[in-house]
Amino acid sequence: MLKKPAANWREARRESARANVLAAAWELVREDGLGALSLRELARRAGITTPTLYAYFESKNAILDAMFAQAAQAFVDLKASLPATGDPQEDLLTEARAFVAFCVSDVPRYQLLFQHSVPGFTPSAESYELAIGALEVTRELLARNGVHDPRHLDIWTAITVGLVGQQISNDPGGDRWSGLVEDVTRMFLAQFGSGGAT
């Protein structure tokens, strides 16, 4: 059954307003960090009142959840855009480089997705499912390289997130740690990949 035109218009207007709020939220946290996300300041930036903000999002955590979903979807889209070749090692290296670049290019997005940096916030199951899907792509890529042990996936994520953390903390804007991606990938695969130790 088709929606009535008025209902379609109202829904489109609501979605546009929600998108504007989220754009303002990202602008705010990129300037001042995730901790600066206050509903009053967000409403001001979005050009609405704080009570109006509640018409679009029931709470601050609901805004964070929508931001998490946007960030996770951007990560999924990035992974889907990466070229697949006949060389599993090169594909893993390409993904690792893309992951590090994705994270260091937007610190609040990285913190929201990969660190539990907002007290009291846990993403909804629906939003988190997007992040799990992205991890599954990595799991499959590791399997193509002969890496099957779940512990080794944990090691891989610790290594790559560790490079990101070091880069952001100690050399923002540089490449001291992001430049180590190839060395780390080759080292990891030599230890745990096909033909490596288990």
Side-chain angles (χ1 to χ4, degrees), residues 3-112:
K3 288 184 179 180
K4 296 178 181 178
N8 288 338
W9 177 82
R10 280 195 297 271
E11 185 60 28
R13 183 177 176 188
R14 176 179 170 76
E15 287 307 308
S16 176
R18 283 174 57 90
N20 287 340
V21 169
L22 291 175
W26 282 115
E27 178 184 288
L28 178 58
V29 301
R30 285 171 179 146
E31 287 178 13
D32 300 322
L34 284 169
L37 185 61
S38 77
L39 296 184
R40 180 173 298 181
E41 176 60 16
L42 177 55
R44 188 190 69 76
R45 287 191 181 220
I48 58 178
T49 65
T50 304
T52 301
L53 186 60
Y54 283 105
Y56 302 121
F57 295 95
E58 63 186 25
S59 65
K60 181 177 176 179
N61 277 357
I63 295 169
L64 287 166
D65 188 63
M67 293 171 72
F68 184 98
Q70 284 185 334
Q73 187 61 59
F75 190 43
V76 168
D77 293 345
L78 170 71
K79 289 200 170 199
S81 75
L82 297 177
T85 71
D87 187 334
Q89 288 193 22
E90 285 305 312
D91 288 350
L92 183 63
L93 178 56
T94 295
E95 186 192 60
R97 285 183 176 134
F99 170 76
V100 172
F102 177 86
C103 292
V104 301
S105 69
D106 192 332
V107 174
R109 181 177 65 186
Y110 155 73
Q111 291 171 331
L112 188 59

Side-chain angles (χ1 to χ4, degrees), residues 70-163:
Q70 284 185 334
Q73 187 61 59
F75 190 43
V76 168
D77 293 345
L78 170 71
K79 289 200 170 199
S81 75
L82 297 177
T85 71
D87 187 334
Q89 288 193 22
E90 285 305 312
D91 288 350
L92 183 63
L93 178 56
T94 295
E95 186 192 60
R97 285 183 176 134
F99 170 76
V100 172
F102 177 86
C103 292
V104 301
S105 69
D106 192 332
V107 174
R109 181 177 65 186
Y110 155 73
Q111 291 171 331
L112 188 59
L113 270 181
F114 300 108
Q115 297 183 322
H116 297 285
S117 53
V118 182
F121 169 67
T122 301
S124 65
E126 181 179 77
S127 295
Y128 194 63
E129 188 63 30
L130 290 166
I132 294 299
L135 182 62
E136 189 58 34
V137 172
T138 299
R139 188 189 317 275
E140 292 169 4
L141 188 49
L142 288 171
R144 287 179 53 209
N145 281 278
V147 179
H148 301 284
D149 191 321
R151 297 173 306 158
H152 299 161
L153 172 62
D154 290 345
I155 292 170
W156 176 250
T157 58
I159 289 170
T160 52
V161 171
L163 287 177

